[in-house]
Amino acid sequence: MSDTPATDIPATDMGLVVVGAAGRMGQTLIRAIHTIPGARVIGAVERADSPHLGKDAGELAGTGRIGVPISADPLPVFARADGVLDFTTPASTVEFAGYAAQARIVHVIGTTGCSAEDNARIEAAARHATIVKSGNMSLGVNLLAVLVEQAARALDADDFDIEILEMHHKHKVDAPSGTALLLGEAAAAGRGIALAGNDVRVRDGHTGVRKVGSIGFASLRGGSVVGDHSVIVAGTGERITLSHHAEDRAIFARGAVKAALWARGRKPGLYSMRDVLGLS
Ligand SMILES: NC(=O)C1=CN([C@@H]2O[C@H](COP(=O)(O)OP(=O)(O)OC[C@H]3O[C@@H](n4cnc5c(N)ncnc54)[C@H](OP(=O)(O)O)[C@@H]3O)[C@@H](O)[C@H]2O)C=CC1
Ligand SMILES: O=C(O)C1=N[C@H](C(=O)O)C[C@H](O)C1
């Protein structure tokens, strides 16, 4: 229950639940919501075995007490929420999408590493939930994707090879990153091809020469890197590099809150950050 007297809460504020509230993004989201007018944290969820259960979500995130204890039971908090911000794991996200559909609320999904089967289940949930899902919630990366699509369209596959390089912190568990795949999809769209079947995710040993028109990925992991992405368009005698460097997770959190506010009142469906930012 909130410590804030009910009279101080604007009736129009969007009540948000942060799942994975003790994680790197979870804590960043709690801090971001605190600074954004029109949204407030009304619930915080972690796993049943989390050492953070019962702690105040604001105190854990460093904003000071907000009167929202971290709980292990999503159902009662989803029932009184307008939306859920979810940066957790693929299996958890699929489960949360089902609960968001039951509650008919907004579900903003930043979780990466989802399989085709996970994505199919999320798409099914979007029949009843208003879902915004993106491998990267920042304005910069979504603008970069538009530029990559344009470059891929303008530069012929016979003359220019596209390679995507990403680097992240040592705790990241999935590769290529969701952003790298998003940028790969943009490059494929520019080329008028599907990414699936034209992607080269690993190279090792005697690979043979590069297949014309393929889109290559390379992943680096180390230290505390928040997220670096470069799309290299390599021709004979020249090379174009389009890059984005995330310096602070707040860019993802602000984008996620923006997505939730945008999605409020929209009909159920699966939307992207390009829809939210008007870049579609
Ligand atoms: N789209 C975007 O813009 C961005 C996406 N991401 C993605 O977000 C995800 C999370 O990243 P990050 O914050 O660094 O990871 P963390 O591991 O720091 O945080 C995830 C949190 O979610 C918790 N969690 C997992 N499953 C559940 C569950 N069923 N119920 C409640 N809590 C749960 C974890 O708990 P436990 O540790 O106990 O498992 C953990 O506290 C990744 O997939 C990452 O790639 C990250 C940044 C930006
Ligand atoms: O795990 C992360 O940290 C990040 N994940 C997202 C991704 O997979 O692209 C977005 C961002 O790069 C940080």
Side-chain angles (χ1 to χ4, degrees):
M1 292 293 289
S2 170
D3 282 341
T4 315
T7 47
D8 288 354
I9 306 164
T12 52
D13 271 7
M14 186 172 191
L16 296 173
V17 178
V18 176
V19 290
R24 279 176 289 275
M25 276 306 298
Q27 294 190 38
T28 313
L29 286 161
I30 305 262
R31 289 193 291 275
I33 297 166
H34 198 62
T35 65
I36 296 175
R40 67 190 306 268
V41 181
I42 61 111
V45 176
E46 268 291 332
R47 288 188 202 272
D49 61 353
S50 168
H52 301 293
L53 295 185
K55 290 182 189 167
D56 184 89
E59 273 179 357
L60 184 69
T63 63
R65 192 171 172 73
I66 58 170
V68 176
I70 298 180
S71 120
D73 191 0
L75 290 177
V77 274
F78 278 40
R80 56 192 178 79
D82 300 306
V84 179
L85 304 184
D86 177 354
F87 291 66
T88 57
T89 64
S92 305
T93 290
V94 166
E95 192 182 329
F96 291 135
Y99 299 151
Q102 277 175 40
R104 289 175 158 63
I105 56 177
V106 169
H107 187 190
V108 176
I109 301 176
T111 307
T112 58
C114 293
S115 65
E117 193 188 336
D118 296 330
N119 284 328
R121 293 178 66 186
I122 291 165
E123 217 168 314
R127 285 201 290 266
H128 300 296
T130 306
I131 299 181
V132 181
K133 182 173 185 291
S134 177
N136 197 302
M137 298 282 172
S138 74
L139 173 61
V141 158
N142 284 282
L143 178 63
L144 177 67
V146 173
L147 301 176
V148 166
E149 188 171 333
Q150 286 174 357
R153 184 172 296 119
L155 301 170
D156 200 274
D158 287 334
D159 299 323
F160 286 89
D161 302 321
I162 299 179
E163 293 283 314
I164 301 174
L165 174 66
E166 54 108 340
M167 181 161 187
H168 283 86
H169 54 94
K170 62 185 171 190
H171 303 289
K172 186 160 178 64
V173 294
D174 56 308
S177 68
T179 309
L181 293 170
L182 177 160
L183 295 169
E185 291 286 358
R191 288 263 158 100
I193 58 170
L195 180 60
N198 289 300
D199 52 340
V200 177
R201 297 192 178 203
V202 180
R203 290 192 182 97
D204 186 28
H206 184 83
T207 61
V209 298
R210 193 180 195 284
K211 188 178 154 214
V212 173
S214 59
I215 296 173
F217 292 87
S219 298
L220 310 179
R221 295 288 176 267
S224 58
V225 179
V226 174
D228 285 354
H229 293 87
S230 291
V231 179
I232 302 157
V233 188
T236 303
E238 60 180 334
R239 195 162 70 244
I240 299 156
T241 304
L242 299 164
S243 296
H244 180 270
H245 303 282
E247 294 169 357
D248 188 327
R249 288 186 177 85
I251 61 172
F252 312 129
R254 285 196 298 266
V257 178
K258 190 180 191 114
L261 293 169
W262 176 89
R264 190 183 195 185
R266 273 180 207 268
K267 65 178 191 325
L270 184 55
Y271 300 93
S272 70
M273 269 319 270
R274 282 221 213 174
D275 297 322
V276 173
L277 298 170
L279 296 170
S280 293

